[in-house]
Amino acid sequence: MAHPIVVVSNRGPVSFALDPAAADGVSSRRGAGGLVSGLGPLVRGTDAIWIAAAMTDGDRQVAGRGVTDAEGFRVRLLDIDPDTWRTHYDGVCNEVLWFAHHGLWDPVVEPAWPLGWVESTWSAYREVNAAFAAAVVADAPEGAVVLVQDYHLCLLAPAVRAERPDLRLVHFSHTPFASPQWLRMLPRQARHELLEGLAAHHACGFHSVRWQHAFEASCEDAPVRCPPTFVAPLAPDPADLAATATSAATVSAVGELDALVGDRRFVVRVDRIELSKNVLRGFDAYAALLEAQPERRGQVVFGAFVYPSRQGVAAYDRYARAVAERVAEINERFATPEWTPIAYDPHDDYPRSVAALVRADVVLVNPISDGLNLVAKEAMIVNERDAQLVLSPHAGAWDELGEAGAWRAEPFDVGATALAMADALDAPADERERRAATLRAASLARTPADWLADQLAAAGG
Amino acid sequence: MAHPIVVVSNRGPVSFALDPAAADGVSSRRGAGGLVSGLGPLVRGTDAIWIAAAMTDGDRQVAGRGVTDAEGFRVRLLDIDPDTWRTHYDGVCNEVLWFAHHGLWDPVVEPAWPLGWVESTWSAYREVNAAFAAAVVADAPEGAVVLVQDYHLCLLAPAVRAERPDLRLVHFSHTPFASPQWLRMLPRQARHELLEGLAAHHACGFHSVRWQHAFEASCEDAPVRCPPTFVAPLAPDPADLAATATSAATVSAVGELDALVGDRRFVVRVDRIELSKNVLRGFDAYAALLEAQPERRGQVVFGAFVYPSRQGVAAYDRYARAVAERVAEINERFATPEWTPIAYDPHDDYPRSVAALVRADVVLVNPISDGLNLVAKEAMIVNERDAQLVLSPHAGAWDELGEAGAWRAEPFDVGATALAMADALDAPADERERRAATLRAASLARTPADWLADQLAAAGG
């Protein structure tokens, strides 16, 4: 007999807008994002309750109603004080935990915790987690399995366990997990609460055995008793992906890319402009290749489908400017009247991004660190030209795709990345076909349903 | 029966200058530095041979003579091509291995290995190591124990073992050792050679069990068969230290500091201005304390005896400028006509530095990462006022001094460092005395002779 399911995540599967024309004063629409697109179809139309933070004014209106049915979901939105939520989300999740888990600080100067940081800032993370804990305690059905998603929500398990011993709690991290050395950069109290919070789950899951080991090592280092752990990589939903790939918008975008690329080879990357994604070194590797092997000039186009994110955060704005400047420098240096080395347009266009993966000859995925990298798998599934994958071993997806036939791109090694791109471009047709087929099979080996089943199994439910 | 000893280090115990007035055309003088002052007295006047690189024109002259007696040492200097040696020392040792072992890169943008780096730069490290290997092979007495010192010389063991199976090879790292995550930032080939080079020793030694574990973890991660390892922290030579502390220059400098400090409390740090030493966050902690507890203003002086190092290297020059600016800002912000919060003079003056340790009420040692930190032990030995030690747990010396009575200063936590300084300043006299006595005993518990004996024991010789 299946246990009831409660999903707990920062962002929910439905968002609401105030709508005076609607009978209940709000209109709803489905949310986006990797978690929602992976998990959404599996819980839509079931009794599962999805608890998330209210983000919009419409969400806040709905929050007062308790568990609400919308778009096939049963959602429970939490109306959290906006300043507190903002401090939690920007001041802790994005500026601290994301950096620690991905290893993005420049240790010589950052982080530098000011006096009272735990009281002024970490306290907001505690408060938001406490609000989620209270909602789980109040609304979870008897004996439910509670699936807590990601680094935003690491502290709620102790309070839930104390109040609701009938529940089974599973935490899943979509990011990497910080090594002990990086986790030690947090204030001691915050590190301790984070690990104790995770340890209070019945199981903690990760996309890669490396993040699992890093978590276990961080527990041992603290020391905190390590809970049971499991590895359950997410995978794309093939039907969902096929629908996008064959949509009119994508087909049209493929046609435009055909015109752009012509009979040249097409190297593609699709990423947010995110510090962990290593966009600059990717361009540098391409430039190194054009420099060292001039015969490639005019024979290849690098399609950089990279889109600004976290705008307004100084480090991200600086990085986005650096990306635009690097593109301009490289194009200035190598372009000819007939050929622009890098095609770059920072306007986010999802069908065009999928079209680029369909049309690519080589896909570059070279992050410094990445929980999984779903794009790598998506590319191998939708591509129609036996695209070669140049992949960083620091992406979680390396576990499944590395040995299967990806070309290795060490993220800090511009030269090695350049040579991997060259190897990928030069591989003979039979090798391309063999690698692409193996990688496609590896990318299709699991589905979101497998990932969900692994979490339920880990719950012992 | 004792085995003959060969010491191998980048810098030797004697340096030579061309001197037309001398019978053999050169004059000699004893070198300085932690290794020479620790190991020098123990091997001077023995049959031990010390192999090092020629640095000066005088050294190069002597290099041609083979093993040479000077200043009580038997030295063998190697005349290495200056460009090669410079690339080895600056391009690999200082800019790469130092950064990896101390964790000093900003991973978003550095390192970024250009195409051909192994051939153009790492090759110089190989060449210098090969020159040392050839000298050991040629000059080591039958059955000698060869003590290879520090991160400059990690590749010579395989060649020496192949040619001279009679020798016992020990490597000792004076730095931390890179965690697997940081060592993976090196080009794969360089990382592999580094670990294989170390693994070819009969034993590898470290100042702290943490560096030992990091080395073992890096071997497992590579994977490379891990050699036997040992922990043998260095300690000051108490006689040598006492001689300096009671010298006329030091006594005079103590008098000057008395006049400067008056009846205020005296917080002291003595460091090179080195990225790993965390000088800026130390000032920020002091400023946070003055801000949060205004009653301390005018009651304390921070003596910053910090001296520029690696001048000409952009990151170090920038850091030194930032240090001077931060001092000026804090003094500008808090100073009164009668009181300057920070006494800072970047002119390196060894007797004055020792005098500051003698005269301190609180000694701040807050590195991001530090192999040992001999200053912490020296301070506890020479101080005459029951000085309290505010110590980073990321210094190797924490292993011996942390539990013994140091105040804990998490290096990334400015607030926690400020509070540790406050606790150290406010400790009652009996607690001060107890902690100082325990730390003095812990700092005197070992001598350089113990450290040498541990290396010889690890050699199985």
Side-chain angles (χ1 to χ4, degrees):
Chain A
M1 203 182 76
H3 294 257
I5 292 176
V6 177
V7 177
V8 185
S9 69
N10 177 55
R11 195 173 291 273
V14 182
S15 78
F16 298 87
L18 293 178
D19 181 357
D24 60 354
V26 295
S27 59
S28 64
R29 64 181 181 83
R30 284 198 205 148
L35 178 64
V36 169
S37 61
L39 201 49
L42 300 170
V43 305
R44 195 163 53 233
T46 74
D47 283 339
I49 296 173
W50 195 316
I51 302 177
M55 308 266 173
T56 66
D57 288 342
D59 287 354
R60 282 177 220 289
Q61 180 105 337
V62 168
R65 302 177 188 170
V67 177
T68 303
D69 291 318
E71 304 286 331
F73 292 99
R74 305 187 64 210
V75 295
R76 169 78 168 93
L77 297 181
L78 306 182
D79 186 1
I80 296 164
D81 170 67
D83 286 346
T84 302
W85 189 82
R86 185 51 60 193
T87 302
H88 154 86
Y89 189 67
D90 289 342
V92 177
C93 296
N94 285 349
E95 291 177 20
V96 173
L97 298 180
W98 181 269
F99 276 65
H101 287 318
H102 289 83
L104 298 176
W105 280 310
D106 175 1
V108 174
V109 290
E110 58 188 12
W113 313 108
L115 202 56
W117 184 84
V118 166
E119 293 75 17
S120 70
T121 306
W122 181 253
S123 57
Y125 187 73
R126 287 180 184 148
E127 281 184 54
V128 169
N129 274 265
F132 274 87
V136 173
V137 167
D139 293 331
E142 176 72 22
V145 171
V146 181
L147 304 179
V148 185
Q149 300 298 309
D150 226 357
Y151 62 102
H152 314 85
L153 299 170
C154 294
L155 305 190
L156 57 88
V160 173
R161 277 190 91 152
E163 298 286 324
R164 292 289 306 270
D166 59 303
L167 302 176
R168 302 288 297 180
L169 306 178
V170 175
H171 189 278
F172 194 89
S173 290
H174 291 264
T175 60
F177 199 88
S179 68
Q181 191 178 5
W182 282 88
L183 207 67
R184 275 171 173 265
M185 293 187 191
L186 296 184
R188 288 183 90 192
Q189 178 65 26
R191 175 174 74 133
H192 184 75
E193 291 177 23
L194 192 75
L195 291 171
E196 288 282 8
L198 289 168
H201 293 82
H202 293 87
C204 288
F206 303 90
H207 283 309
S208 160
V209 68
R210 279 164 298 158
W211 318 142
Q212 177 190 40
H213 287 169
F215 172 65
E216 290 169 350
S218 284
C219 286
E220 191 185 340
D221 183 53
V224 161
R225 183 199 60 81
C226 189
T229 59
F230 64 101
V231 173
L234 186 56
D237 179 338
D240 189 47
L241 202 52
T244 306
T246 56
S247 71
T250 301
V251 170
S252 159
V254 170
E256 287 167 27
L257 293 173
D258 276 333
L260 172 78
V261 176
D263 57 2
R264 299 186 173 98
R265 311 299 296 281
F266 194 29
V267 176
V268 163
R269 79 176 302 150
V270 174
D271 274 309
R272 289 183 298 121
I273 298 181
E274 154 54 51
L275 303 181
S276 62
K277 298 294 187 183
N278 208 20
V279 178
L280 290 177
R281 290 191 190 87
F283 288 138
D284 292 343
Y286 179 61
L289 192 61
L290 296 178
E291 179 65 36
Q293 304 179 359
E295 65 278 13
R296 296 196 188 269
R297 298 179 197 171
Q299 304 301 310
V300 60
V301 172
F302 189 141
F305 302 93
V306 295
Y307 311 118
S309 70
R310 300 197 185 165
Q311 286 167 284
V313 177
Y316 283 76
D317 289 346
R318 263 201 313 276
Y319 197 73
R321 281 197 301 277
V323 163
E325 286 164 15
R326 199 68 56 93
V327 169
E329 283 164 23
I330 294 170
N331 280 343
E332 168 97 4
R333 182 163 158 215
F334 294 106
T336 64
E338 297 76 32
W339 171 66
T340 304
I342 302 177
Y344 166 66
D345 177 354
H347 173 67
D348 190 354
D349 179 338
Y350 182 61
R352 187 183 58 175
S353 296
V354 175
L357 299 179
V358 170
R359 181 59 183 72
D361 297 297
V362 170
V363 176
L364 176 63
V365 177
N366 68 326
I368 293 170
S369 185
D370 207 333
L372 178 74
N373 199 289
L374 212 51
V375 169
K377 292 185 179 182
E378 289 169 347
M380 296 302 98
I381 293 171
V382 302
N383 183 268
E384 296 176 351
R385 300 169 68 92
D386 292 336
Q388 301 296 288
L389 179 63
V390 177
L391 181 62
S392 163
H394 297 226
W398 179 263
D399 293 6
E400 296 161 275
L401 307 183
E403 296 299 311
W407 299 91
R408 183 185 188 108
E410 289 289 343
F412 302 103
D413 196 332
V414 170
T417 302
L419 296 177
M421 288 167 71
D423 287 341
L425 285 165
D426 296 344
D430 57 341
E431 182 176 2
R432 289 179 61 84
E433 188 181 338
R434 180 179 56 71
R435 287 179 180 255
T438 318
L439 286 172
R440 188 174 299 117
S443 300
L444 288 166
R446 285 172 60 86
T447 65
D450 296 322
W451 173 71
L452 174 59
D454 287 343
Q455 290 178 80
L456 297 175
Chain B
M1 205 181 78
H3 294 256
I5 292 175
V6 177
V7 176
V8 184
S9 69
N10 176 56
R11 195 173 291 275
V14 184
S15 78
F16 298 88
L18 293 178
D19 182 356
D24 59 355
V26 294
S27 59
S28 64
R29 65 181 181 83
R30 283 197 205 154
L35 178 65
V36 169
S37 61
L39 201 50
L42 300 170
V43 305
R44 195 163 53 234
T46 74
D47 282 340
I49 296 173
W50 195 316
I51 302 177
M55 307 266 174
T56 66
D57 289 342
D59 287 355
R60 281 177 221 290
Q61 180 105 337
V62 169
R65 302 176 189 169
V67 177
T68 303
D69 292 318
E71 303 287 332
F73 292 98
R74 305 187 64 208
V75 296
R76 170 78 169 91
L77 298 181
L78 306 183
D79 187 2
I80 295 164
D81 170 67
D83 287 344
T84 302
W85 190 82
R86 184 51 61 192
T87 302
H88 154 86
Y89 189 66
D90 289 342
V92 177
C93 296
N94 286 347
E95 291 177 20
V96 173
L97 298 180
W98 181 269
F99 276 63
H101 287 318
H102 289 84
L104 298 176
W105 279 310
D106 175 2
V108 174
V109 291
E110 60 189 11
W113 312 108
L115 201 57
W117 184 84
V118 165
E119 294 74 18
S120 69
T121 306
W122 181 254
S123 58
Y125 188 73
R126 288 179 183 147
E127 279 183 55
V128 169
N129 273 265
F132 275 87
V136 172
V137 167
D139 293 330
E142 176 72 21
V145 171
V146 181
L147 305 179
V148 185
Q149 301 297 309
D150 226 356
Y151 62 102
H152 315 84
L153 299 169
C154 294
L155 305 190
L156 58 86
V160 173
R161 277 189 92 150
E163 297 286 322
R164 290 289 305 271
D166 58 304
L167 303 177
R168 303 288 296 181
L169 306 178
V170 175
H171 190 277
F172 194 89
S173 290
H174 291 264
T175 60
F177 199 87
S179 67
Q181 192 178 4
W182 282 88
L183 206 67
R184 274 170 174 265
M185 294 187 190
L186 296 184
R188 289 183 91 191
Q189 178 66 26
R191 176 174 74 133
H192 185 76
E193 290 178 23
L194 192 74
L195 290 172
E196 287 282 8
L198 289 168
H201 294 82
H202 293 86
C204 288
F206 303 90
H207 284 309
S208 160
V209 68
R210 279 164 299 160
W211 319 143
Q212 176 190 40
H213 287 167
F215 172 65
E216 291 169 351
S218 284
C219 286
E220 190 184 342
D221 183 54
V224 161
R225 183 199 60 81
C226 189
T229 60
F230 64 102
V231 174
L234 186 56
D237 180 337
D240 189 45
L241 202 50
T244 307
T246 57
S247 71
T250 302
V251 170
S252 158
V254 170
E256 287 166 27
L257 293 174
D258 275 333
L260 172 78
V261 176
D263 56 3
R264 300 186 172 97
R265 312 297 296 282
F266 195 30
V267 176
V268 163
R269 79 176 301 149
V270 174
D271 274 310
R272 290 183 298 119
I273 298 182
E274 154 55 50
L275 304 181
S276 63
K277 298 294 187 182
N278 208 19
V279 178
L280 290 176
R281 289 192 189 88
F283 288 139
D284 291 344
Y286 179 62
L289 193 60
L290 297 178
E291 179 65 35
Q293 304 179 358
E295 66 277 14
R296 296 195 188 270
R297 297 178 197 171
Q299 304 301 311
V300 60
V301 172
F302 189 141
F305 302 92
V306 295
Y307 311 117
S309 70
R310 299 195 188 167
Q311 286 168 285
V313 176
Y316 283 76
D317 289 346
R318 264 200 313 277
Y319 196 73
R321 280 197 302 276
V323 163
E325 286 164 14
R326 198 67 56 95
V327 170
E329 284 164 23
I330 294 170
N331 281 343
E332 167 97 4
R333 181 164 158 214
F334 294 105
T336 64
E338 297 77 32
W339 172 64
T340 303
I342 301 176
Y344 167 65
D345 177 354
H347 172 68
D348 190 355
D349 178 339
Y350 182 61
R352 187 182 59 174
S353 296
V354 175
L357 299 178
V358 170
R359 180 60 182 72
D361 296 298
V362 171
V363 176
L364 176 63
V365 177
N366 68 327
I368 293 170
S369 185
D370 206 333
L372 179 73
N373 198 289
L374 211 52
V375 169
K377 293 185 178 181
E378 290 169 347
M380 295 302 97
I381 294 171
V382 301
N383 183 267
E384 294 176 351
R385 301 168 67 92
D386 292 337
Q388 300 297 287
L389 179 64
V390 177
L391 181 62
S392 163
H394 297 226
W398 179 264
D399 293 7
E400 297 161 275
L401 307 184
E403 296 299 310
W407 300 91
R408 184 183 187 109
E410 289 289 343
F412 302 104
D413 196 332
V414 169
T417 302
L419 296 178
M421 288 167 70
D423 288 341
L425 285 165
D426 296 345
D430 57 341
E431 183 176 2
R432 290 179 61 83
E433 189 181 338
R434 181 179 55 72
R435 286 179 181 255
T438 318
L439 286 172
R440 188 174 299 117
S443 300
L444 288 166
R446 286 172 58 86
T447 65
D450 296 321
W451 174 70
L452 174 59
D454 287 343
Q455 288 178 82
L456 297 176

